[in-house]
Amino acid sequence: MSYATTYRQLQPLLIACSLAAAVVTPAAYAQTAAAPVTAPVAASSLAPGVIAKVNNVAITDAQLQRAIQQSGLPDSPNLRAALKNQLISRELFRQDAEKTHAYDNRPEVKQAVQEAKDAAITQLYLRDVIKPAAVTEQQVRAQFDSIVASLGDKEYKSRLIQVGDAAAAADVLTKLKAGADFAQLAQQASLAQNKVRGGELDWISFKTPAQEGHTQNLPLPIAQALTALPAGGVTSTPVNWNNTYFILKLEQVRPTQVPKYDDVKAVLRQQQEAAALEKATVSVVSGLVKKAKIEQ
């Protein structure tokens, strides 16, 4: 596992473990919205940035904003009301639990506090030391131009069934010849992750004849088999690649649809920024590893 992969796996955990985070799931949101806090409160003027007080303990707008962000739901008055109620309820729970003095020294509480502290420290450290290179408009445009230059005049829409051996491939072909539906058979027999979509692949375009390294990451034998099929055709023999067998169906062929630069530049920029972040992260981790004593 690469250092960059490890960082990507840890990063959501670091964010989610923030001490002040108030996470709400859609189900919890619905429950909270249906059962608002209705306890009477004394009329008072709240300080700027404070949305509520529970026995003189302030709940801030910053806490609410974090809760909205963590929820992953669209911001709305209903969501804000539900999350505000949840924050109030959570503070009521905390205060009542604290009165008993039965929880402060429990091992699981101490461990949770330490883990949250470690996560917050690590998150801030990563923010301070990992400095990815800025992505320029020229870099984004260059990537777009490179992608467009790699496209062929046609693009292909296909489905794929991946099996582990020649016997399984022969069985799939026999069932297809007997009239089995390709998509349903892919869901039943394929080993590929896209089996849930009936083996469907995205539209893909590359110059023909297909050459190694110029097939948009599609394995060369598969790309070659794909371009040899007529629309609606299925490979008569399985394609053997990397000790795995593939049966292909070419569903459609059309002239290549080249998107406008303005429609895709945001996505391309995000890709380059992610790559820059990964590169910067690997650099930091590599430097730390060189100075550390790690036993496994």
Side-chain angles (χ1 to χ4, degrees):
M1 180 181 293
S2 69
Y3 301 130
T5 300
T6 301
Y7 172 77
R8 287 198 301 271
Q9 291 173 338
L10 288 177
Q11 186 67 352
L13 177 61
L14 299 180
I15 295 172
C17 286
S18 172
L19 273 170
V23 181
V24 58
T25 64
Y29 163 46
Q31 293 170 357
T32 308
V37 176
T38 57
V41 294
S44 64
S45 59
L46 298 175
V50 176
I51 60 172
K53 279 188 175 182
V54 180
N55 298 322
N56 292 321
V57 175
I59 296 175
T60 67
D61 184 63
Q63 288 175 275
L64 179 59
Q65 294 298 331
R66 282 194 294 271
I68 293 170
Q69 183 178 12
Q70 294 276 338
S71 74
L73 298 170
D75 191 359
S76 70
N78 286 341
L79 177 64
R80 286 175 174 267
L83 290 175
K84 179 180 177 180
N85 286 335
Q86 187 183 67
L87 291 170
I88 291 172
S89 298
R90 189 178 70 175
E91 180 57 28
L92 287 169
F93 297 151
R94 186 198 66 77
Q95 290 181 17
D96 200 50
E98 194 173 59
K99 290 176 184 177
T100 67
H101 302 288
Y103 300 98
D104 291 353
N105 293 317
R106 288 179 61 162
E108 55 264 52
V109 173
K110 290 183 177 180
Q111 180 180 353
V113 170
Q114 185 61 52
E115 289 176 353
K117 178 181 177 181
D118 292 345
I121 291 172
T122 304
Q123 182 182 354
L124 291 173
Y125 166 81
L126 293 173
R127 186 185 304 167
D128 289 343
V129 302
I130 296 178
K131 303 295 183 183
V135 175
T136 67
E137 184 71 16
Q138 290 76 11
Q139 289 173 308
V140 177
R141 184 76 204 203
Q143 182 185 3
F144 175 80
D145 292 341
S146 176
I147 292 172
V148 172
S150 71
L151 302 178
D153 58 351
K154 297 178 182 178
E155 57 183 354
Y156 308 89
K157 184 69 171 177
S158 61
R159 293 183 186 270
L160 171 151
I161 297 175
Q162 175 186 343
V163 293
D165 53 56
D171 182 61
V172 167
L173 286 173
T174 298
K175 291 177 179 177
L176 289 172
K177 290 176 182 177
D181 180 78
F182 195 99
Q184 291 181 359
L185 194 54
Q187 291 177 339
Q188 298 167 5
S190 182
L191 302 176
Q193 292 183 347
N194 68 348
K195 65 180 294 181
V196 297
R197 296 189 288 124
E200 182 183 14
L201 298 175
D202 294 329
W203 284 98
I204 189 169
S205 177
F206 45 83
K207 295 184 183 302
T208 55
Q211 298 180 7
E212 190 70 59
H214 300 280
T215 57
Q216 308 294 349
N217 296 320
L218 198 65
L220 180 61
I222 294 178
Q224 291 172 329
L226 196 62
T227 56
L229 286 172
V234 176
T235 48
S236 58
T237 58
V239 179
N240 187 350
W241 177 77
N242 201 24
N243 296 320
T244 308
Y245 293 80
F246 300 85
I247 296 90
L248 306 171
K249 179 181 180 181
L250 177 59
E251 296 203 319
Q252 298 181 59
V253 182
R254 71 183 184 189
T256 297
Q257 310 289 304
V258 179
K260 295 180 180 179
Y261 173 69
D262 287 342
D263 293 339
V264 298
K265 65 179 182 180
V267 174
L268 296 179
R269 178 176 290 277
Q270 290 173 358
Q271 292 175 350
Q272 292 203 23
E273 288 175 345
L277 177 61
E278 181 174 328
K279 183 178 180 181
T281 302
V282 169
S283 177
V284 171
V285 174
S286 297
L288 293 174
V289 168
K290 289 178 181 178
K291 297 184 290 185
K293 181 181 179 181
I294 301 175
E295 299 180 38
Q296 299 187 36

